[in-house]
Amino acid sequence: MVAPLSRSAANPTFVNQGRRARNSHSRGRASVVTLSEITPELRKPEERETLGFHRTVDRRMVHRASVAEVFVTGMERTGELTFRSAAQLPLSHGYFNDHTGIPATHDPLLLLEICRQASIYGAHAQLDVPLDTTFMVNDWAIDLRDSAALVIGDKPGELLLSETMTPTHDRRNRITALRFDIGMELAGETVGTAHIRVSSAPTAQYAALRFMQRGSTPPMTSAFRSPGGAVRTTGLPARVGRVNPANVVLADAEFDTERGSLSAALAPDFRNSGLFDHDYDHIPAMVLMEAARQSALLLASAHQPSDGFQRTVSLSALEASFSRFAELDSPVRITAAPDSRTGAPNRVAVTFEQSDTTVAAISTEVRPSATAG
């Protein structure tokens, strides 16, 4: 349950500020924005967004540092625990649109990211969950139809989400966990479903949890960025359906032909703002999802032509569970193999291990795209 959905980083300075704020308000509750590079503010945004595609929502409400990384554009409540969200799908994005597939389609991980943002926004706007809350994803999944509606056109896509929230409360009636069940509609057509299940805690408690688990304060991603902005080189981009080497998150890939498996090291570029919108004290869940996608594509292409195969397949489903934080200061090894649980040839099971312990398990489905050709 320990891949923070909120993408907040434990920052002692802001934690102390949050404590001072709470101490100065003996009655009532103070909310402190805790993203590590965002100036904390002691109030929740007052404006309630409506459903539409005219502008993005407040970036703080989806735990983002950059407005350019916000895709949700509106929300309306439809019931006590239900709501609809709107999001605009970009025509050009350095990470989400860097793919070699023909025809170009909207990235499944973009849709999952939008589900993540909409769920966080719903928790804050509809359930009044304080902004100084960290959400830790236990598991999530996305399943997409092979729909022509997912093909990128000449205008930004307009995605509509329908969500149902199922909160869990403690004895003090505080929300400690949430499940979100999500339907996605694009161009008037249902294109897929998703679910997200998270635990939640005040960010100060999250910081204490991280310290307790490690026995020390975790390092931040800023400490791992290459000095001087050196150009990153890798021979993998085309083999994992990418053009830009900065979007490759694997290194040292090795095939075991006898077992039909693949192993690789997790090696993201920490300067990539599409993957690291702000400073983190762990490897974010979305980076692990990208590594699972690339591992599945690389394994599937082992006996295929070097470049053409990736242009004709698409990622159609992912299902992930997270059992521990993926730490920044210890190697993460990835193993990918056909998923024996399903017996389906297009299903790949990807396991992430760190210090001889599994931190995440992700099942992917790669299939030929019926929209191709």
Side-chain angles (χ1 to χ4, degrees), residues 167-187:
T168 299
H169 299 81
D170 64 12
R171 288 177 295 179
R172 298 182 181 181
N173 204 37
R174 296 175 302 189
I175 292 176
T176 58
L178 281 160
R179 179 185 170 103
F180 302 89
D181 290 285
I182 308 159
M184 291 170 276
E185 181 182 315
L186 186 63

Side-chain angles (χ1 to χ4, degrees), residues 149-169:
L150 291 171
V151 175
I152 297 175
D154 56 1
K155 295 181 180 179
E158 295 184 343
L159 183 70
L160 289 173
L161 307 180
S162 298
E163 295 207 37
T164 299
M165 301 180 287
T166 305
T168 299
H169 299 81

Side-chain angles (χ1 to χ4, degrees), residues 13-56:
T13 301
F14 287 2
V15 169
N16 291 336
Q17 288 172 337
R19 288 171 180 163
R20 288 196 295 269
R22 287 191 290 274
N23 290 339
S24 64
H25 293 73
S26 58
R27 297 182 180 178
R29 181 177 59 194
S31 295
V32 181
V33 180
T34 54
L35 292 184
S36 59
E37 67 280 69
I38 302 175
T39 303
E41 299 184 18
L42 295 176
R43 65 177 179 83
K44 181 178 178 179
E46 297 177 359
E47 182 178 0
R48 297 282 175 157
E49 302 289 344
T50 57
L51 197 65
F53 300 96
H54 306 297
R55 57 176 179 173
T56 57

Side-chain angles (χ1 to χ4, degrees), residues 90-295:
L91 292 176
S92 178
H93 187 279
Y95 167 66
F96 288 117
N97 291 104
D98 177 50
H99 297 285
T100 60
I102 299 175
T105 57
H106 294 295
D107 189 341
L109 291 186
L110 169 63
L111 302 187
L112 182 59
E113 169 62 17
I114 289 171
C115 290
R116 184 197 74 82
Q117 291 187 11
S119 298
I120 289 177
Y121 189 90
H124 290 313
Q126 309 296 348
L127 297 180
D128 293 322
V129 173
L131 281 175
D132 66 333
T133 298
T134 294
F135 298 93
M136 295 166 282
V137 59
N138 300 320
D139 55 75
W140 58 12
I142 185 169
D143 189 3
L144 297 179
R145 297 182 179 181
D146 193 6
S147 168
L150 291 171
V151 175
I152 297 175
D154 56 1
K155 295 181 180 179
E158 295 184 343
L159 183 70
L160 289 173
L161 307 180
S162 298
E163 295 207 37
T164 299
M165 301 180 287
T166 305
T168 299
H169 299 81
D170 64 12
R171 288 177 295 179
R172 298 182 181 181
N173 204 37
R174 296 175 302 189
I175 292 176
T176 58
L178 281 160
R179 179 185 170 103
F180 302 89
D181 290 285
I182 308 159
M184 291 170 276
E185 181 182 315
L186 186 63
E189 181 179 337
T190 298
V191 295
T193 59
H195 87 258
I196 299 173
R197 193 169 62 89
V198 303
S199 300
S200 63
T203 299
Q205 289 184 13
Y206 166 78
L209 171 66
R210 294 288 284 125
F211 187 91
M212 179 184 68
Q213 288 180 332
R214 287 177 51 95
S216 63
T217 301
M220 307 300 291
T221 49
S222 55
F224 296 87
R225 294 177 189 138
S226 301
V231 176
R232 186 171 182 264
T233 59
T234 175
L236 288 178
R239 297 292 290 179
V240 294
R242 291 290 188 176
V243 176
N244 186 353
N247 289 323
V248 178
V249 298
L250 305 181
D252 304 325
E254 299 177 353
F255 292 95
D256 186 328
T257 54
E258 183 177 340
R259 297 182 178 181
S261 63
L262 163 79
S263 65
L266 182 65
D269 186 339
F270 292 102
R271 295 167 299 147
N272 187 336
S273 60
L275 292 171
F276 300 95
D277 167 72
H278 56 273
D279 227 2
Y280 295 83
D281 68 355
H282 61 281
I283 300 290
M286 198 61 74
V287 175
L288 301 182
M289 300 297 280
E290 177 61 36
R293 186 222 318 253
Q294 293 185 15
S295 297

